[in-house]
Amino acid sequence: MRPIVRGAVLRVVAPSGPFDPEDFAAGVAFLRERYEVRHRSDVLDRAGYLAGSDERRLDELNEALADPDAAAIVAARGGYGATRLLSDLSLERVRDAAIPLVGFSDITALHALWARASVPSMHGSMVAALGRSSDEARARWVTALEGDGPTLEGLERWVGGVAEGPLLGGNVAVLGSLLGTPHAPPLEGALLLLEDVGERPYRLDRVLTSMAQAGWLDRVAGVVVGELTDCRPGTDGVTAEAVLRERLEGLGVPVVGALPVGHGDRNEALWLGQRHRLDATLGTLENVSASQG
Amino acid sequence: MRPIVRGAVLRVVAPSGPFDPEDFAAGVAFLRERYEVRHRSDVLDRAGYLAGSDERRLDELNEALADPDAAAIVAARGGYGATRLLSDLSLERVRDAAIPLVGFSDITALHALWARASVPSMHGSMVAALGRSSDEARARWVTALEGDGPTLEGLERWVGGVAEGPLLGGNVAVLGSLLGTPHAPPLEGALLLLEDVGERPYRLDRVLTSMAQAGWLDRVAGVVVGELTDCRPGTDGVTAEAVLRERLEGLGVPVVGALPVGHGDRNEALWLGQRHRLDATLGTLENVSASQG
């Protein structure tokens, strides 16, 4: 892996949905203050709800993986579309290139591939959102990208205890779409990150139920729950948090909620695939991968 | 299996979500004109978005399976909740009881269990909806329940050809939630029925993509697509039908659309688990299980 420092080459790709060209331009301009940004001229393509055809998005990602200078690959936006590429992406190519990927939400599907290839990837804001971000949020993103990510404190204890493992996961619905496919993340002993946006609580229940039945939840060392943005109750009043608590509190592993990670106002960047230490009793999550080195 | 005829015992259960008590009473009153209807007094229970606790719904279903007089088990309504029961339901009990189940939508999860147990089940309207149905719809439901279901004609040819196999499937999102679990339906050589309500086209794309990646779609002998009710395009304009056509037309098996089955005004009842003959060139679907007997 090439060091991610001032002047490093960042490849920007759009493997999922389309996005606002002005936000994108503003995000690229911000990145160019510090990095050398490369992207294809057709990155703004649209095909329905996709950022261009599967072929275009696949070629673009493979081109980024083949760039010998690239220190990181940064997604332009999520939405939907990354899962469509999984069958045609090469695990070996991701492993050999060893270039970290940055994104979240729909990019969860690619994070799972990076995890399978044992290449770290950063769960964090993407180019179009950076174009609209505060200076403070941008500065924190850069610090996370060039380091280990922040140590989060003040997390809500749902189930106390301490656990260590690689941080994996991301968007609940996207993780659910990996069930039963060859593209599921390697969750054995992992700290599972969960966040979502715009899902009714019963839908989160459905995915968590499937995960439990598929044996995913038995394998994890701990769970860290991020933002559940706009996951509003129906008339029955059952909240998304109540649903997740019910499914997670009986697992016998430490669980925390209220991570400032996901689709909320604050989206702290965390390094997936790297070993973290969760102290659910104290309410802290810390990247401890460096202490192994 | 006991014959389903006038005077037969129908057990009514609520394994999924709650429902309107007046619709339910009207549906039961209709059924009582012809059948002996049995249900527990707590069938109207509510617990959030569920028709009572998992324990209540599980006990109720097991009680119905244990009724030596029951000729069929009819769900009160779908919604969400049947998948939560799957891990605690006994395949052997369903097989030994050999009592057909009636329902659709969320009941798709139970249809999959019935299919695994080789017991036929009817994809059709449920008690609360029957309480609001026209006399004609009710009469067609009774005819289907006591027979083989209608031969459907005038279906839209998406991919021509002829195929035979057991009819299986149901709601796309619920089928998606069975991926990777031990509760998936046995799709090898089957005619796959798909319908849904209120899903954005990209979400249907996501589930179909997962099904393809899990190898489900390679195994089927044909696909029959029912109603895609309120599956409205986003601003991108991509329709649910376009999404399904893209995913299904390349499978190399016959495919039809526009089945009057699902959440639309007309919901023809079909017998899952029974052998059907799909002539996609002519646009017909017929139950041919009797011709094997």
Side-chain angles (χ1 to χ4, degrees):
Chain A
M1 296 199 290
R2 282 149 293 278
I4 306 177
V5 294
R6 181 183 289 274
V9 172
L10 305 190
R11 295 285 310 208
V12 172
V13 298
S16 301
F19 41 86
D20 182 81
E22 291 186 20
D23 288 344
F24 178 76
V28 168
F30 154 66
L31 292 175
R32 287 206 162 125
E33 292 172 11
R34 188 171 181 90
Y35 305 108
E36 181 182 338
V37 176
R38 297 179 186 170
H39 65 78
R40 284 168 45 137
S41 58
D42 62 3
V43 70
L44 293 167
D45 266 15
R46 285 190 184 210
Y49 45 69
L50 302 169
S53 69
D54 288 352
E55 188 184 5
R56 191 207 76 74
R57 292 167 11 255
L58 184 68
D59 284 350
E60 179 183 65
L61 194 48
N62 281 329
E63 200 176 303
L65 287 166
D67 185 336
D69 302 328
I73 299 171
V74 187
R77 192 200 146 221
Y80 168 72
T83 51
R84 291 174 60 103
L85 307 181
L86 288 173
S87 296
D88 294 314
L89 283 166
S90 160
L91 182 72
E92 291 67 33
R93 195 177 295 193
V94 173
R95 182 186 293 141
D96 295 347
I99 306 172
L101 173 76
V102 180
F104 77 114
S105 198
D106 192 57
I107 305 302
T108 297
L110 298 177
H111 284 313
L113 174 61
W114 259 246
R116 291 172 57 231
S118 301
V119 179
S121 58
M122 191 171 92
H123 187 279
S125 295
M126 296 173 279
V127 179
L130 288 169
R132 301 183 301 264
S133 293
S134 68
D135 287 347
E136 190 201 342
R138 287 173 169 184
R140 292 181 70 81
W141 186 90
V142 165
T143 303
L145 183 67
E146 298 184 10
D148 299 324
T151 295
L152 300 180
E153 299 181 339
L155 308 177
E156 259 179 31
R157 176 178 59 195
W158 290 7
V159 178
V162 176
E164 280 192 26
L167 186 65
L168 294 180
N171 183 270
V172 173
V174 176
L175 287 169
S177 76
L178 303 177
L179 283 161
T181 76
H183 311 299
L187 290 178
E188 184 74 40
L191 299 178
L192 176 61
L193 170 63
L194 299 175
E195 69 83 29
D196 217 319
V197 60
E199 296 286 340
R200 287 282 180 198
Y202 84 87
R203 287 176 175 267
L204 298 174
D205 182 337
R206 191 160 63 191
V207 180
L208 271 284
T209 297
S210 301
M211 286 182 181
Q213 290 174 354
W216 281 23
L217 300 182
D218 293 340
R219 300 179 200 156
V220 302
V223 186
V224 298
V225 178
E227 303 282 356
L228 302 167
T229 311
D230 294 331
C231 294
R232 295 194 195 94
T235 53
D236 53 73
V238 180
T239 65
E241 179 177 325
V243 164
L244 266 69
R245 280 183 179 264
E246 187 207 1
R247 276 287 171 230
L248 301 173
E249 290 186 349
L251 295 179
V253 298
V255 182
V256 293
L259 243 68
V261 168
H263 290 80
D265 290 337
R266 187 174 151 211
N267 183 15
E268 295 289 348
L270 298 174
W271 278 94
L272 303 180
Q274 293 196 343
R275 193 168 183 84
H276 282 66
R277 177 182 166 88
L278 168 66
D279 188 327
T281 306
L282 283 178
T284 60
L285 179 69
E286 181 183 11
N287 187 338
V288 294
S289 61
S291 61
Q292 298 177 301
Chain B
M1 296 199 291
R2 282 148 293 280
I4 307 177
V5 293
R6 182 183 288 274
V9 171
L10 304 189
R11 296 284 311 207
V12 172
V13 298
S16 301
F19 41 86
D20 182 82
E22 290 185 20
D23 288 342
F24 178 76
V28 168
F30 154 66
L31 292 175
R32 287 205 162 125
E33 293 172 11
R34 188 171 180 91
Y35 305 108
E36 182 182 336
V37 176
R38 296 178 185 169
H39 65 77
R40 283 166 47 135
S41 58
D42 62 3
V43 70
L44 292 167
D45 266 15
R46 287 191 182 210
Y49 44 69
L50 302 170
S53 69
D54 288 351
E55 188 184 6
R56 191 208 74 76
R57 291 166 12 255
L58 183 67
D59 284 351
E60 179 183 64
L61 194 48
N62 280 328
E63 200 176 302
L65 287 166
D67 185 337
D69 303 326
I73 299 171
V74 187
R77 192 200 146 220
Y80 169 71
T83 51
R84 292 174 60 103
L85 307 182
L86 288 174
S87 296
D88 294 313
L89 282 166
S90 160
L91 182 72
E92 290 68 33
R93 195 176 296 193
V94 173
R95 181 187 292 141
D96 295 346
I99 306 173
L101 173 76
V102 180
F104 77 114
S105 198
D106 192 57
I107 305 302
T108 296
L110 298 177
H111 284 313
L113 174 62
W114 260 246
R116 292 172 57 231
S118 302
V119 179
S121 58
M122 191 171 92
H123 187 279
S125 295
M126 295 173 279
V127 178
L130 287 170
R132 301 184 301 264
S133 292
S134 68
D135 287 348
E136 190 201 341
R138 287 173 170 183
R140 292 181 69 82
W141 187 89
V142 165
T143 303
L145 183 67
E146 299 185 8
D148 299 322
T151 295
L152 300 180
E153 299 180 340
L155 308 177
E156 260 179 30
R157 176 178 59 195
W158 289 9
V159 178
V162 176
E164 280 192 25
L167 186 66
L168 294 179
N171 184 269
V172 173
V174 176
L175 287 169
S177 77
L178 303 177
L179 282 162
T181 76
H183 310 299
L187 289 178
E188 184 75 39
L191 298 178
L192 176 61
L193 169 65
L194 299 174
E195 69 82 31
D196 218 320
V197 59
E199 296 286 341
R200 287 280 180 201
Y202 85 87
R203 287 177 176 265
L204 297 175
D205 182 338
R206 191 161 63 192
V207 180
L208 271 284
T209 297
S210 300
M211 285 182 182
Q213 290 174 354
W216 282 22
L217 300 183
D218 294 340
R219 299 180 200 156
V220 301
V223 186
V224 298
V225 178
E227 304 282 357
L228 301 167
T229 310
D230 295 332
C231 293
R232 296 195 193 91
T235 53
D236 52 73
V238 180
T239 65
E241 179 177 325
V243 164
L244 266 68
R245 279 183 180 264
E246 188 207 0
R247 276 286 170 233
L248 300 174
E249 290 185 349
L251 295 179
V253 298
V255 183
V256 293
L259 242 68
V261 169
H263 290 81
D265 290 337
R266 187 174 151 212
N267 182 15
E268 295 289 348
L270 297 174
W271 277 94
L272 302 180
Q274 294 196 342
R275 193 167 182 85
H276 282 65
R277 176 182 167 88
L278 168 66
D279 187 327
T281 305
L282 283 179
T284 59
L285 179 69
E286 181 185 11
N287 187 337
V288 294
S289 61
S291 61
Q292 300 177 299

